[in-house]
Amino acid sequence: MNTHASHKTHADVIIVGGGIMGCSTAFFLRKRGLSVVLLERNMTGQQASGTNFGGVRRQGRALPQLAMSNRSLRIWRASRELLGSDIEFLPSGHTRVAYHAHDAEYFSEYARQARDYGLDLEVLQGAAMRRRFPFLGPDVLAASISPLDGHANPRLAAPAFARAAAALGADIRENAPVRRVERTATGFRVETLDGESLLAERLAICAGAWSQALAAQFGEAAPLTVRGPQMAVTEPVPYVFRSSMGVYTSIKEESIYFRQIPRGNLILGGGPPGPADAATSRAAVLPENTLAQLRQFRRLVPGVAPLHIIRVWSGVESYMPDGEPIIGRSGTTDGLYYAFGFSGAGFQIGPGVGETMAELIATGRSEIDLQPFSIERFNLAGTPAPTPAQRSPQGAPPSPTAAQS
């Protein structure tokens, strides 16, 4: 742990939270020449950013997120050169499938709408779909394919951004939990648990499930809840599934998504979430959820029936009541910025959020409209209800089983 209680550290920006949002924000701020201190309560990428499915996919997102998602994909594609390390991004494509006629019809409508936002999708049904994906079960009616999307390794991504930011001069501090944040006459003071005081003109809160308490210190509501993704991995088999794939459905029991890594293992997620607790930083996988995942996986791809699960895991994720994240300026405090509450869909969009946050903090403006993600939507109007246009990561209406990206 860092111990600097005898003096005060000063920076242009302090970032609280070392997930993919905070680490990518630190990286892009240093690219713009601002001094940065990042404080992470545990290890970078340890919770939601490192325990999610690893999907790098745009389709199924609410339309207002697509500009950020497109920006993020450009970063993913350049990640090896940009970060100087391999985070195992594979542009293998992303496919979502439907069991129900009304869901299959929605694929074409969503593809039409998404085209206006720079996302081109291919929708297949019937014989054409069977030729492309002969391994799918008989219940599948249609498939929507996003050929430029893919997946990456969530255990590698946030730490790689942290290392790259540190190489540019950012002060990255792990095992540095924050006790208190406050506005001062010239900026912000952040006090760590070991008693150090840090000063900065600007403050960015990117602390995931732990952001609610920090926002409250500035009089802002962030009505998030915490849940634990139910993740599993199989024994390795020959590498045959190039595209990551998920079921589009509003029936939570049917939700399943999977991807295969070149080593051969298949990574699974979906279904009802498990319990999570921000106070203890713990989340659990329920055995009945894993068994239900296996049943749904076999329904989707009958040929995987003989496979064995070799490991399960979870993490603490934060969910907003309307399914949309909080990104942008504080509504109460100048110089304060937020990026949290990504409702199980933050991994793909994370690098784009970091670049956008850096742009906003450094220049006072953003090329991307952040109004749909303002924290003021809760402070001014109470808790909004989900709308039909707001979709979970696999494209279903927001629900407790929204798929991790």
Side-chain angles (χ1 to χ4, degrees):
M1 178 179 293
N2 297 285
T3 56
H4 305 275
S6 61
H7 67 280
K8 293 184 178 180
T9 300
H10 189 279
D12 292 326
V13 185
I14 294 172
I15 300 171
V16 181
I20 196 167
M21 308 300 165
C23 292
S24 61
T25 298
F27 173 76
F28 285 109
L29 282 170
R30 284 303 302 143
K31 296 279 281 186
R32 289 179 173 270
L34 276 70
S35 59
V36 178
V37 177
L38 182 147
L39 303 172
E40 163 53 40
R41 61 187 290 124
N42 295 305
M43 306 294 288
T44 56
Q46 184 170 334
Q47 286 294 341
S49 294
T51 59
N52 64 83
F53 176 63
V56 177
R57 57 101 203 109
R58 297 168 295 162
Q59 71 165 327
R61 291 188 177 276
L63 298 177
Q65 291 189 24
L66 285 179
M68 189 89 71
S69 192
N70 290 336
R71 169 177 276 190
S72 195
L73 182 62
R74 291 193 294 272
I75 300 169
W76 283 111
R77 292 171 68 89
S79 59
R80 187 191 294 261
E81 295 75 22
L82 195 64
L83 303 178
S85 60
D86 182 11
I87 55 178
E88 299 180 6
F89 169 65
L90 290 177
S92 56
H94 175 270
T95 302
R96 58 178 178 160
V97 303
Y99 294 140
H100 308 287
H102 62 279
D103 292 333
E105 291 172 3
Y106 178 73
F107 281 175
S108 296
E109 175 62 18
Y110 182 84
R112 184 190 64 77
Q113 295 175 337
R115 194 173 300 115
D116 294 335
Y117 292 82
L119 173 59
D120 290 322
L121 304 172
E122 181 183 8
V123 178
L124 299 177
Q125 299 188 35
M129 182 197 69
R130 295 290 166 191
R131 284 193 298 270
R132 180 77 66 89
F133 304 111
F135 54 82
L136 290 175
D139 291 347
V140 178
L141 300 181
S144 175
I145 305 158
S146 182
L148 299 182
D149 294 345
H151 53 88
N153 189 333
R155 298 296 297 164
L156 301 179
F161 274 101
R163 290 193 304 272
L168 293 176
D171 184 356
I172 307 295
R173 304 191 187 184
E174 297 178 316
N175 299 310
V178 169
R179 182 197 303 273
R180 184 180 299 111
V181 291
E182 63 181 5
R183 190 75 167 89
T184 69
T186 58
F188 296 87
R189 186 176 77 89
V190 178
E191 181 183 337
T192 64
L193 201 60
D194 66 5
E196 183 185 6
S197 289
L198 300 96
L199 304 176
E201 286 82 13
R202 285 152 285 186
L203 174 66
I205 294 175
C206 308
W210 296 268
S211 299
Q212 186 175 39
L214 297 173
Q217 295 183 38
F218 298 100
E220 296 193 281
L224 59 82
T225 57
V226 297
R227 301 169 188 159
Q230 307 293 276
M231 305 304 303
V233 62
T234 74
E235 61 193 312
V237 292
Y239 183 48
V240 295
F241 299 109
R242 305 290 174 168
S243 177
S244 60
M245 183 168 289
V247 176
Y248 166 82
T249 177
S250 58
I251 302 172
K252 62 184 179 181
E253 291 79 12
E254 292 180 335
S255 172
I256 186 70
Y257 43 93
F258 77 94
R259 64 184 178 94
Q260 187 175 24
I261 59 176
R263 289 186 293 275
N265 307 82
L266 290 125
I267 298 168
L268 311 179
D277 186 351
T280 61
S281 300
R282 303 291 292 177
V285 175
L286 303 180
E288 58 267 31
N289 288 352
T290 302
L291 293 174
Q293 282 179 336
L294 277 173
R295 287 193 295 271
Q296 290 299 326
F297 192 27
R298 292 163 178 167
R299 178 186 181 189
L300 178 62
V301 185
V304 302
L307 293 184
H308 296 89
I309 296 294
I310 62 173
R311 185 168 68 90
V312 298
W313 69 93
S314 187
V316 181
E317 294 187 326
S318 60
Y319 285 74
M320 303 308 298
D322 61 356
E324 294 289 354
I326 291 174
I327 311 171
R329 291 184 177 87
S330 162
T332 65
T333 308
D334 290 342
L336 175 62
Y337 303 86
Y338 297 117
F340 67 89
F342 287 82
S343 301
F347 184 67
Q348 188 278 341
I349 207 169
V353 171
E355 187 175 60
T356 302
M357 286 282 285
E359 177 186 46
L360 179 64
I361 292 169
T363 70
R365 58 177 298 276
S366 167
E367 293 181 5
I368 293 175
D369 179 16
L370 298 179
Q371 187 59 39
F373 317 120
S374 171
I375 194 170
E376 292 185 274
R377 72 186 190 271
F378 299 106
N379 295 297
L380 296 180
T383 301
T387 68
Q390 292 164 331
R391 299 283 166 176
S392 79
Q394 294 296 347
S399 74
T401 60
Q404 285 67 42
S405 62

